[in-house]
Each structure stands twice: as C-alpha cells, then as structure tokens.
Amino acid sequence: MMMTFKNLMNRLRLLSALAGWLSLVSISMVTATTANVANAQTVPTAQTAIAAAPAAGPELLLSIAVELSTEQSNSAALVGHIVRTEVLESSDKLDLSQRVSRLRKELGVNYIAPAKLLGFQLASNEITLSETSRYITDTKLLTTAQATYRFYWSRAARVGVWGIGAGAEALRIDTEPDSAPYLREFVQRHGKTSRTIPLTAFWLIDRRQVNRILPDGHLDRLNAEWGTGLGNVSYAKIDFQHSSYIAMSPRVSAGFSANVGAMRGLGGDLTPLTKRYFGGGVGTVRGYEASALTPTDIAQSGIGANRQAVATVEALWHAFSLGETPVIFSAFTDAGKFADVGSSKVASNNTVNAKSYGLGISMPVRIGLVRFSFAKPVDYEWRTQRFQFEARANW
C-alpha cells in the first residue's frame, strides 16, 4: 500500500523530533540578529549557503522564532530549526525546520555538502512537505497539500553565485473544485493532484554592505525554471529581482527595488497554481491584503497572474535609538501590475494595476524585528489594508 501524504509528514516530524531529543546534550542556543532590516530579503538556502564558512567541529544548533503579522495566513507562526554540521563529512550540514501557523504547516529537510561534479562547489538536497490555506476571496479559502524535492549544484565565481538544479513536485487540491470556477477548470485539465518535474538555473550577486543599520549596496537575482513534459503540467518561468540603496549620510538611505517575472503554460497547459503571482502586503504593494492583487474569475476568486512587475521607491531615516534599538522612519511608494491568465477560459479580470504610498517604522531589536507601515491605496480599491504590521523574535 502506498504511504499517504499525511503519514509521510508524520514520520518526518517524528524523525525531526527524535534527532533533537537524542542530541539535547550538545544543543547550543542561537540568537539571530537582523542586518539591513529596512530592506530585508529572504534568499533561498541553495543560493546563499555557498558563502557560508565551514563550522569548526561538529555542532548542533537550535533556533526558535515567533512571528506575528496582520497577514491572515501568517498572523501568528512558530518556526523551529535544528541544524547539525559534520553529519557525514567534515563540511556538510543538515537543516530540519518546522513552521506552524493557523493556515500554514510546513516541514523542511535540507542537506548541503561539497559538490564533486563538473567544478561545482556545493550540492543541496531539499525536501518540503506543506499544507497551506490561502484566501481567494474575502471569506473563501483554497487549501492545498504539496510535496517537493529539489537538488541544486552551485558555485561562486567572480560575477556572483550561479547554479543549476532539478526536482519533482506534487500538489493536491483539497478544496472542493466547484467552490471556484478556476479551480474546476484546473482540475478538469490536470486532476486534483498535479505533478511537475522542473529544471532550474539561477544567478545571484549580492553587493550589499553588511552590519549596517540602514541598507547600502546592490542585489541582483535571476531564476529560470522549466516544467518539463515529464509531469502532467508543463510550463516555463523566469524571475528577476534588483535592489539598489545608497547611504546618503550615516542616518539617511534611499533606494529602489524591482521584481519582474513571467510564466506561461506549454502545450496548452495551465500554469501551476502555487507558482503564479499574487500581490499585496509587505514586499509587494503595501496597503492591500496579502495575495489580494490578482486577476479574478467570474466568481471574483483570485486566480493568480502569469506576469508581474512590482517596484518600490523609498527613503529611510535613522531618527533616534531607544537604548540599543534604532528607530527607523521611512517614506515609500509602491506600484505593481499583475496580468495574464494564459489559456484560462473563466477569467473576468485579466489585469490588476495598483499603487500606494505611505510611511513606515522599523525597529531592529536585539532578538528580531518589529515593523509597521501605514499605506494609502491609489485608484484600485479591493481588499485594502491600510495598516500592516509584522514582528519576529528569535532565540
């Protein structure tokens, strides 16, 4: 009998807990600090681990984070990490992570080791099991379960970090397809469980200054992905991110960031549901609920776009400090365009344009980050959220 998705997740959770229990005697607590918090970016492990220094001897590290925000899918989350170095050889690393919130549960296993093929320096193997719910209207949820395996080879060069990879993904739709026309259309074409076999290539160059309160420097990231015909959903996808910030003085910084991406289904296929573009919230266009900015179907359910262009311009001012905690004020304007539903026949709105402007406050505390923003949406009034908040504490 085949192992069910739920049973597989439970077994991996048990292994994660057992690994922590057997090694409690050597656990050391890790306190994470936040640098460049005014422009914090999350970079995939496989693309940044190559720059990490090898550990001096075996270590087992435990970190726990609590996250709070106004985002419905992440209003309160608990995130745990167990990292073990020198598992099979002197410079490898095993990272077990667990995220739990009301609408999202995710278990991740990532093993990184030196690569010994074609001049690459690092090899990364990632397994992720997740159960996620997302609001597709004000009240309606889309619930999915996903299992993903990815491996990457990467190396550092004079022009940045680059690499290639491949993987296998399975997505199961748990929501009743008749609850939204676009879900019914996707299930009719690809089934309630869709499978993709992607090949990827990436490039990253990070020239940002570290250990500064305000951001200063440049970041460029390019990622290309091809969902091959070996799965039952075939697609092509490319994304580019750029950010540039300049320190005008020790207390003032200004800059902009841009994210552009495009994808399309191949051979008449629809694009994968979880790879489409959604806007709204911190990191895209503030002043709107997370994932609210997207084309909709005839029942006003958010479909997800096949193209996006998002830009932010902002100025930051380190106004004062409360003890060791700097207080940073910002003025910003965000703009985004989310368009194209591919070969879908049930879309009623193919393009969404949104803009906002506002003020923000950031406080990088010793164990994490607290950030507020007050934004006024311009023109487009749909699922607006003028006040947004996020906080993270790490131990």
Side-chain angles (χ1 to χ4, degrees), residues 220-271:
D220 292 282
R221 182 187 297 119
L222 178 67
N223 192 83
E225 186 170 308
W226 171 39
T228 67
L230 299 176
N232 67 344
V233 181
S234 183
Y235 63 94
K237 188 173 191 284
I238 187 166
D239 293 284
F240 177 71
Q241 176 192 349
H242 172 79
S243 69
S244 289
Y245 282 79
I246 299 175
M248 314 297 291
S249 74
R251 287 184 172 268
V252 176
S253 178
F256 74 95
S257 61
N259 289 274
V260 295
M263 66 184 305
R264 63 174 297 179
L266 303 178
D269 287 351
L270 296 168
T271 52

Side-chain angles (χ1 to χ4, degrees), residues 294-326:
T294 171
T296 56
D297 63 19
I298 54 179
Q300 298 301 301
S301 301
I303 297 176
N306 288 340
R307 290 187 288 117
Q308 75 160 358
V310 180
T312 293
V313 178
E314 62 181 342
L316 303 111
W317 172 40
H318 177 194
F320 57 90
S321 296
L322 297 174
E324 297 181 354
T325 302

Side-chain angles (χ1 to χ4, degrees), residues 5 68 77-78 85 95 111 141 144 177 216 285 320 348 363 384:
F5 181 89
L68 302 172
L78 181 65
T85 62
D95 185 347
Y111 177 69
L141 283 169
T144 59
D216 183 18
V285 183
F320 57 90
S348 65
M363 292 181 289
T384 59

